[in-house]
Amino acid sequence: MNIGDRTLVMWRKDTGDIPRLLFAPAERSVTVDEEGNVETVTLRSTAAGVLSTLSGHGLGWDASVAAYSSVRGGGHTGAFLAGQYTATEYTDRYGDDADDRFDDTDDPLEAIDVPPTPEQLAEDRAIDAAVRSRIARESAPAAEEDLQHLGALLAAMWADPDGKVLLLDDLAWDAPVELNFELIQQTLESAEQYGLPALPIARAVETLVFLFRDARLIAWPLITCVLLKHLPTDTDVVYDLSGGIWEFEMETVEHATSFLDRWWASTGDSIATYAQSLGMMFGSLSAFRSKLGPQFWFGQAIAANAHLRELNKDRANSTKKARGDALESLAEALFNAEEQVVVTRKNFATEEEEIDLVLRNELDHAFWAAHHSPLIIVECKNWAKPVGVEPLRVLESKLEDRRGLVRIGVFISVSGFTKEFLTRLKAVQGRDIGVIYALTGADVDDLVARRQPIMEWLRTSGAMRAFGA
């Protein structure tokens, strides 16, 4: 795959199916020579185009920052720098005599029994405090700043066609980069060379190396996104499959187009399978203290919310289905972030109706247990105007038809609700069909920004609105 004039990774040998995520179906291209024989088979876009496509997949800049924030480490980098800074402090204070500071005897075993003087202890504590203060100061940048600094470094190195780009030149789908002191040292030296803060960049590299090991489907697009965001928007991005022209008998346009169709479908299936496995992995991890599962889904929610806002900003250039799907994906991510709620069905259709989301309720909080609702159904409306009474009546009927299993309904409307809707909502709670909670787009924005669990919001602010308070 080429970005600008530089090759990032070779087709098939190093990337697997993952570059498929960077392109849209319309960006496939086949060219022929003067005799009509296929010359190139490629996917072609620009930095701006790839970033837009990644955002549509929930893997754009906002999601990258969220994913990175939830797993950001830096312990190895901090320890490495602490050692370097300590050595520097001793050298600055004692000059050439720094080594002698610890060598009061030629016998190492005897040196263990030589207690430090009070003056030496005081000096050691002062040096330790200075090092810790420096590490804390350099660790201050927020997660997004780490990625901004890393992107600036990668872009600067990318501009040198003869130089090696940190991390990227060694990154292959089936051969993750190993974290070692050599890589950390290389990172620190590169940051210094380009006048960028060392610790945030090294911390980002360390985190991404570990993330790539455990979750390549997140890490590979994330690293690509960080680079492309710092390159000119019109930079060409080309994934060249021409190496397979003879191997896969793509000598004619018809055969090449057929191959692209099959390749597009098969790689999509492969990525979907990997994503499903990855989702299961994060779901399993959520049971542990690391809480990676909820953080992963909050990252997806941040990206989905940004995508939703983009579609709604210019409704003339987006379809009703795309806007509706975007809201459903956002709602799905928010409910997936709940550890005791399981999204069992999406767009569940019967002969008479469709339910946007069906959730299995495993919440053990007394508030939710009192509802006696094994299932929860969710209605999503991404309309330009506030939702009125009629859609609420439809949701009421869905609850009434399933009274034995469903006594909780959630209505999400990006543009809010009419006064009549809210009046009816209060009245609904007096009927024996259960409880309906209502969220606006502004509520969702606030949930995403604060990473507040949606069921916690429904139990507090949502309950107050449902009952007309």
Side-chain angles (χ1 to χ4, degrees), residues 10 38 131 157 183 234 411 445 466:
M10 296 299 292
V38 171
V131 169
M157 301 178 82
L183 176 59
D234 60 351
F411 205 124
D445 286 342

Side-chain angles (χ1 to χ4, degrees), residues 180-364:
N180 50 45
F181 287 125
E182 182 181 351
L183 176 59
I184 295 176
Q185 184 65 49
Q186 179 191 358
T187 302
L188 298 174
E189 290 174 354
S190 299
E192 183 179 1
Q193 178 184 349
Y194 289 96
L196 292 165
L199 193 151
I201 292 174
R203 176 170 55 191
V205 168
E206 175 185 329
T207 301
L208 294 177
V209 166
F210 286 130
L211 183 62
F212 191 91
R213 180 192 63 192
D214 295 330
R216 292 166 293 172
L217 190 60
I218 299 173
W220 201 91
L222 191 161
I223 295 166
T224 305
C225 179
V226 169
L227 169 64
L228 293 180
K229 187 174 175 64
H230 291 81
L231 294 179
T233 57
D234 60 351
T235 300
D236 291 326
V237 181
V238 181
Y239 188 43
D240 193 345
L241 290 83
S242 303
I245 289 177
W246 298 107
E247 182 179 353
F248 296 101
E249 300 179 346
M250 295 188 286
E251 293 90 343
T252 68
V253 173
E254 181 181 359
H255 289 158
T257 302
S258 176
F259 168 81
L260 281 173
D261 289 340
R262 295 194 308 274
W263 179 84
W264 194 266
S266 65
T267 52
D269 290 342
S270 174
I271 292 171
T273 299
Y274 179 78
Q276 183 178 26
S277 300
L278 187 63
M280 293 172 63
M281 181 189 77
F282 273 103
S284 298
L285 286 173
S286 69
F288 297 91
R289 285 188 296 177
S290 62
K291 304 298 182 186
L292 284 178
Q295 292 301 328
F296 170 77
W297 286 111
F298 269 120
Q300 294 297 298
I302 290 170
N305 198 35
H307 180 55
L308 178 71
R309 289 198 301 270
E310 286 297 316
L311 292 176
N312 289 344
K313 189 184 301 181
D314 187 5
R315 286 178 172 260
N317 290 319
S318 62
T319 65
K320 179 180 178 182
K321 183 179 186 307
R323 295 192 297 271
D325 289 347
L327 178 57
E328 289 173 13
S329 295
L330 171 57
E332 182 181 17
L334 286 173
F335 285 110
N336 272 324
E338 290 284 349
E339 296 184 59
Q340 295 180 321
V341 171
V342 180
V343 179
T344 61
R345 297 291 294 272
K346 187 177 179 181
N347 297 323
F348 175 68
T350 67
E351 292 183 1
E352 300 86 14
E353 61 192 4
E354 181 177 289
I355 300 173
D356 293 333
L357 293 176
V358 179
L359 316 176
R360 187 168 73 245
N361 177 14
E362 299 178 355
L363 294 156
D364 55 14

Side-chain angles (χ1 to χ4, degrees), residues 361-373:
N361 177 14
E362 299 178 355
L363 294 156
D364 55 14
H365 193 285
F367 178 87
W368 296 114
H371 285 66
H372 303 291
S373 182

